[in-house]
Amino acid sequence: MTDQPKNQPSSAGTPAVTEEFNSPDFQFVLKALLAVYQPFLERQLSLANNLQELETQAESHPPNCADELALANEIFGKFFSEKVALRMLPEAARQQLGPVENWRWCLTHLRCCFTFGWLVCRAPRTFRAWSYYLYQYWLCVRQTLGAPVSMPPTEADRADFRTLVEALAAAYKPYLTDQMASVEFPAGIPDEVINGTINCLEGEAEPCEIFGRLLTPNVAQALLGNEAFATHSKEANFWFCRCWCLCAICFGCCLARARSLVDVVWCLVYLFRCLGDCFQPIRCDLTAPTGCTEEQPGLVAGALAVEIDGTATGALFDHYTLEWRTVEGQACSDNTGWQDGGTGLISYPGGGATGTVPVSSGTLGWLNTTFLTAGSYEVRLSVYTSTGQLACQQCIQFALFKRMVWIDHVANAPVAAPPGPFVGTAQIVNPSDNSVVPVGCCVSVSGSAWVGDCQNRQIQCVDLRAAVGFQVGPEDPSFLSTLPLYTIPLEPAGPICYTDPSPQVQLQKEAQWNELFERDLIDTWVQETIDFLGHTCTVYVLEGSCFESDTMLPTGVLDSTNCPDPHHRCRSGKYTLLLDVTDTLNNHYYDTQQVWFDNKPISAEFAGLQGLPSCTDLHLGLNGQFLPPGAPCNQPWPINLMGIAFDEYIDETDPTPPSNNFDYYSLWVTRQGGPTYSIPITPSLSPPMFGPNPLQGTQRVGDPGFRCEPLPAAAGCPPPPPPPSKFYNLLTQLDLRIFDEVCSASLAAPFAPPAGFALDRGACCGYSFQLYAQDKTWDDAGPGQCHQVWTAPWAVCICNDLPVAGSVALPK
């Protein structure tokens, strides 16, 4: 969290005031502020006593942006004079800044800062509205600095404003993230409200934190313009102008929210305190991490990290940096071994390569520890002034406790990244298209299960279980209450525990190069020799095995009303896996993974050629039954192929993917002793209509008339749905020209049969049809290997009794 500006109340309550009220400068500025408010209040009181005039003004002047901007300029244009500005500053600050002529450029645009804060906070605003007021603020600053924005803006101006909006988005996003987290995980909020942690001042400081993240030195050039930035950024007081502007924005925001003149007085108190802080000497302090520190998921996206806390603030503050190294006994000022954000392991609030916003007793940044080994580390904080000088430096040491507990693959399909395995709602996906992947049959669960090693805390046991339904993740406040739901063992023998008393074996199991070795989380530990990161090592790893989900998941699942659950029939549906790792102090470390299991069989049945009775030969020429008159080669000779290619929905109430898990069906016809022809899947031969693959049908066809686990009738429960009726439907239309040696030559791919497939006229031969179908379920063998079915060959004798050249043509 960035430093909370002192012109905003905190949720801890309002501090007592003594010195501000006794200050002549404060009294002077307060009178100037009230003098501005008085005419405005008198006009409002006059309207309150004259309803007709109030209605007239309301009708002629509905709320609009121009009047709002005019009112803001009226208030702050009268209030913020040079004399008032000087009286806001502590006497020591005036002496430090020197003659006003040296920094009048700053005064000229501070009115824009007051106005910006007041306009943004007058009402609840969306990010889009913030962007509009940022635009007005930008126009105001450029105007007051003598470099107005062109109308319409030039391309360079547009680029500057895009930079500002992008910076606002980065500054605004943490606020939205916090709000979303509160909405997604509200379990702890009732207690916080009841015990007083959340009160009427909750969130008052958040707009100021957004302003602080926005007004970084990185965006100053886009805000001021190239020429003004080049001129003023070299001045010694440039740092103070930014600090004063931030205080002014927060003051304007406070005034916009003021509900009484008493609130107005308090806003001014916070302004004075904020400006006083702008002149505090540079301070740096590190308070965390220290001691045995556990790395945590969620601090850095898709990684494990430790939080770095402390203070970096004061007059002439420009930025701070964080560095890390392994502890080797050097002094803090010794530059040996330090690594910084260039390694990608240090990140700062608001992004960027350094910390650009002052921090007071808050979060300075995060160290990504995912690929660091357990051991002792040191962090160094360095704070720099606006002149580029190193003002202060401090170090802190800690021991890293690794908690490498995650599931990253199920059935060899990865967790979607982003968001990665540390996000409880991340799904198992097909990496080629990021679609959610159901798994079934023989399923391995892969990841990492290792914790240690400081304060004599080492790994003790690993357990893997599952619960019915999608459950919350370990970072959710309500997670612990869901643990009793994980009743399905994925490791039949129970938890895997380290029981070997040999210290040497223990060291092998905890070898550093073994930490990131991806392994299956099922079965037992075995000794292996591996080459890992350039090391040839003898390590203990978990022996590869798989969870037979089609036999070990439960059947007869009941819902919350103790009735048969239609969402989890046939060992299928939504489940959550739980990886539970304990250390030798019996601390638990968890990871969960939401998974769709599909163990419902796929059905396929070939019902033959529509219109051809069973046990009957197909004659191409006999009375022209299946051919158009004259059997011309330039027209299709279609016949319908009927059958069933069906896969039950995983959750029979949900017809959308991944519940609708059907992949495709294909049809083949083989000439006896000859080649096989892949039949195109098309509902119409003229013109041909195909899906992505012309040889695969991607929609279910027909219904087998049964379900793999019928819902039983249960006392006090709704009656189960009636069983479906079996029916066949159109699989595709076959063009019979493929069987005629004469007309098949006119067919183009994919309709053309292979050589030796068609019949000479006057010849007969046996052909067999087969139907294949599969779903998208993954098992350890990959996609489509778990559920696939072939029908038995369907044989028919086909006679090409069409007339040969020179013979009598078929009758019409």
Side-chain angles (χ1 to χ4, degrees):
M1 180 181 292
T2 56
D3 186 19
Q4 176 180 306
K6 298 300 187 294
N7 67 330
Q8 287 287 288
S10 72
S11 58
T14 304
V17 173
T18 54
E19 58 187 47
E20 284 86 8
F21 285 175
N22 296 326
S23 165
D25 289 334
F26 181 84
Q27 295 293 332
F28 179 87
V29 177
L30 177 60
K31 288 179 181 178
L33 182 60
L34 294 178
V36 172
Y37 262 76
Q38 183 175 347
F40 175 74
L41 296 175
E42 288 175 347
R43 289 200 302 269
Q44 302 307 306
L45 181 60
S46 174
L47 289 174
N49 293 323
N50 188 341
L51 295 182
Q52 184 175 358
E53 177 61 20
L54 175 62
E55 292 172 350
T56 299
Q57 290 197 24
E59 185 175 11
S60 61
H61 288 88
N64 62 80
C65 297
D67 285 351
E68 184 184 45
L69 292 171
L71 178 60
N73 290 325
E74 178 185 353
I75 292 175
F76 295 105
K78 293 179 180 179
F79 166 64
F80 192 68
S81 65
E82 185 174 304
K83 191 171 184 180
V84 168
L86 289 173
R87 297 294 288 270
M88 288 180 180
L89 302 177
E91 178 60 33
R94 298 174 211 165
Q95 297 298 324
Q96 183 175 337
L97 288 171
V100 176
E101 289 73 18
N102 294 341
W103 47 280
R104 181 168 279 115
W105 72 272
C106 180
L107 285 178
T108 58
H109 85 277
L110 284 174
R111 176 182 57 82
C112 304
C113 302
F114 284 108
T115 303
F116 177 45
W118 188 80
L119 289 169
V120 166
C121 295
R122 285 196 75 204
R125 309 290 194 190
T126 64
F127 172 74
R128 293 162 64 89
W130 273 66
S131 300
Y132 166 75
Y133 290 111
L134 178 63
Y135 177 68
Q136 298 299 331
Y137 173 52
W138 177 59
L139 295 180
C140 180
V141 169
R142 290 290 183 90
Q143 181 71 36
T144 57
L145 293 179
V149 175
S150 302
M151 289 298 162
T154 65
E155 186 52 42
D157 290 335
R158 291 178 182 274
D160 283 344
F161 185 60
R162 283 195 295 268
T163 298
L164 292 177
V165 173
E166 290 168 0
L168 177 62
Y172 201 84
K173 186 176 180 179
Y175 163 75
L176 292 180
T177 301
D178 288 345
Q179 296 302 303
M180 182 60 71
S182 296
V183 172
E184 292 286 345
F185 309 120
I189 291 179
D191 289 339
E192 292 184 72
V193 173
I194 292 170
N195 66 28
T197 304
I198 298 176
N199 58 26
C200 66
L201 297 177
E202 177 68 31
E204 288 286 341
E206 286 179 341
C208 235
E209 293 174 0
I210 297 174
F211 298 140
R213 292 191 292 266
L214 169 64
L215 290 188
T216 65
N218 297 335
V219 302
Q221 184 168 349
L223 181 64
L224 303 179
N226 292 338
E227 185 175 343
F229 178 79
T231 300
H232 300 302
S233 62
K234 301 174 183 177
E235 299 178 7
N237 292 326
F238 184 76
W239 61 271
F240 172 68
C241 191
R242 174 195 171 274
C243 188
W244 195 348
C245 181
L246 179 57
C247 293
I249 293 175
C250 295
F251 173 67
C253 181
C254 186
L255 284 184
R257 294 180 168 188
R259 295 173 290 274
S260 68
L261 289 178
V262 171
D263 290 344
V264 170
V265 173
W266 276 104
C267 291
L268 192 59
V269 170
Y270 297 130
L271 174 61
F272 268 65
R273 293 182 178 179
C274 184
L275 290 171
D277 281 351
C278 289
F279 289 89
Q280 293 293 319
I282 289 287
R283 292 176 290 141
C284 62
D285 184 36
L286 283 171
T287 56
T290 185
C292 184
T293 301
E294 292 183 10
E295 58 188 358
Q296 301 288 333
L299 300 177
V300 174
L304 295 163
V306 297
E307 184 171 290
I308 304 170
D309 295 334
T311 295
T313 189
L316 296 175
F317 171 89
D318 184 75
H319 70 280
Y320 65 87
T321 62
L322 296 170
E323 301 164 285
W324 66 276
R325 69 181 177 187
T326 56
V327 173
E328 298 179 2
Q330 304 100 317
C332 182
S333 58
D334 187 325
N335 290 323
T336 304
W338 289 111
Q339 301 186 62
D340 59 16
T343 64
L345 299 186
I346 295 286
S347 54
Y348 297 88
T354 63
T356 56
V357 178
V359 177
S360 179
S361 299
T363 301
L364 294 164
W366 301 272
L367 171 61
N368 184 333
T369 58
T370 307
F371 296 101
L372 300 184
T373 59
S376 296
Y377 293 88
E378 189 171 18
V379 172
R380 182 167 73 175
L381 166 66
S382 303
V383 182
Y384 296 85
T385 68
S386 57
T387 60
Q389 298 297 312
L390 174 63
C392 66
Q393 201 168 61
Q394 192 174 81
C395 292
I396 194 170
Q397 294 184 359
F398 71 100
L400 177 62
F401 182 88
K402 300 292 293 181
R403 49 177 299 176
M404 304 180 66
V405 179
W406 68 72
I407 296 169
D408 56 30
H409 285 74
V410 179
N412 297 320
V415 175
F422 302 120
V423 176
T425 56
Q427 296 292 304
I428 300 296
V429 298
N430 184 334
S432 65
D433 58 10
N434 221 38
S435 61
V436 177
V437 169
V439 303
C441 302
C442 180
V443 173
S444 65
V445 183
S446 302
S448 183
W450 192 91
V451 296
D453 181 19
C454 56
Q455 294 180 340
N456 201 32
R457 295 162 60 190
Q458 301 169 338
I459 187 172
Q460 180 170 268
C461 293
V462 179
D463 194 13
L464 193 62
R465 301 189 300 278
V468 175
F470 280 179
Q471 308 300 330
V472 297
E475 302 307 308
D476 190 288
S478 62
F479 169 72
L480 292 179
S481 64
T482 68
L483 286 176
L485 301 175
Y486 290 91
T487 58
I488 307 168
L490 272 66
E491 177 55 55
I496 303 169
C497 294
Y498 296 96
T499 58
D500 194 320
S502 168
Q504 185 61 34
V505 171
Q506 186 71 16
L507 287 174
Q508 288 177 326
K509 293 177 181 178
E510 298 179 2
Q512 297 301 326
W513 47 81
N514 192 31
E515 292 179 16
L516 283 175
F517 186 73
E518 186 177 275
R519 50 195 184 251
D520 292 336
L521 302 176
I522 296 176
D523 216 329
T524 56
W525 290 93
V526 295
Q527 196 175 57
E528 286 187 5
T529 300
I530 64 169
D531 181 70
F532 187 68
L533 297 180
H535 297 270
T536 300
C537 314
T538 299
V539 298
Y540 276 75
V541 299
L542 281 169
E543 183 179 18
S545 182
C546 67
F547 171 69
E548 298 286 354
S549 65
D550 52 350
T551 61
M552 297 178 67
L553 286 176
T555 57
V557 175
L558 302 179
D559 62 20
S560 58
T561 64
N562 213 35
C563 290
D565 182 2
H567 309 290
H568 294 90
R569 297 201 299 158
C570 312
R571 299 182 172 93
S572 302
K574 297 177 181 178
Y575 291 80
T576 305
L577 309 183
L578 173 72
L579 172 61
D580 178 5
V581 179
T582 52
D583 67 14
T584 46
L585 297 182
N586 208 36
N587 297 309
H588 288 259
Y589 305 90
Y590 300 102
D591 186 44
T592 59
Q593 181 58 56
Q594 296 180 351
V595 180
W596 284 82
F597 275 102
D598 180 14
N599 288 299
K600 294 185 174 182
I602 194 165
S603 300
E605 183 177 343
F606 185 71
L609 285 67
Q610 189 175 33
L612 182 70
S614 60
C615 302
T616 304
D617 296 342
L618 173 64
H619 292 264
L620 299 182
L622 182 63
N623 300 321
Q625 180 181 358
F626 300 107
L627 278 63
C633 287
N634 62 353
Q635 293 182 23
W637 305 347
I639 190 170
N640 292 337
L641 302 186
M642 308 299 290
I644 295 171
F646 186 86
D647 184 35
E648 296 182 39
Y649 298 140
I650 299 176
D651 176 350
E652 62 188 44
T653 68
D654 182 0
T656 62
S659 178
N660 182 354
N661 190 37
F662 185 78
D663 192 4
Y664 71 89
Y665 66 88
S666 299
L667 282 160
W668 286 269
V669 57
T670 302
R671 178 170 175 169
Q672 182 178 356
T676 296
Y677 171 68
S678 297
I679 303 174
I681 308 300
T682 172
S684 173
L685 290 171
S686 182
M689 296 173 60
F690 298 115
N693 185 335
L695 302 179
Q696 295 179 356
T698 57
Q699 302 296 320
R700 303 189 307 174
V701 175
D703 195 297
F706 64 87
R707 295 295 180 261
C708 60
E709 183 187 324
L711 287 173
C717 299
S725 298
K726 179 177 180 178
F727 71 94
Y728 301 109
N729 214 333
L730 177 66
L731 294 167
T732 190
Q733 284 186 318
L734 179 67
D735 191 342
L736 292 176
R737 286 181 294 176
I738 64 170
F739 298 109
D740 177 46
E741 184 65 34
V742 175
C743 288
S744 64
S746 64
L747 298 175
F751 292 97
F757 179 86
L759 291 168
D760 291 330
R761 295 192 174 185
C764 295
C765 191
Y767 288 82
S768 61
F769 290 81
Q770 271 193 291
L771 169 64
Y772 170 84
Q774 71 173 47
D775 66 14
K776 298 178 182 178
T777 300
W778 284 50
D779 66 359
D780 280 6
Q785 302 301 307
C786 178
H787 301 139
Q788 52 181 230
V789 61
W790 288 85
T791 62
W794 188 92
V796 63
C797 180
I798 299 178
C799 291
N800 186 358
D801 44 8
L802 291 169
V804 296
S807 64
V808 178
L810 286 171
K812 295 185 179 180

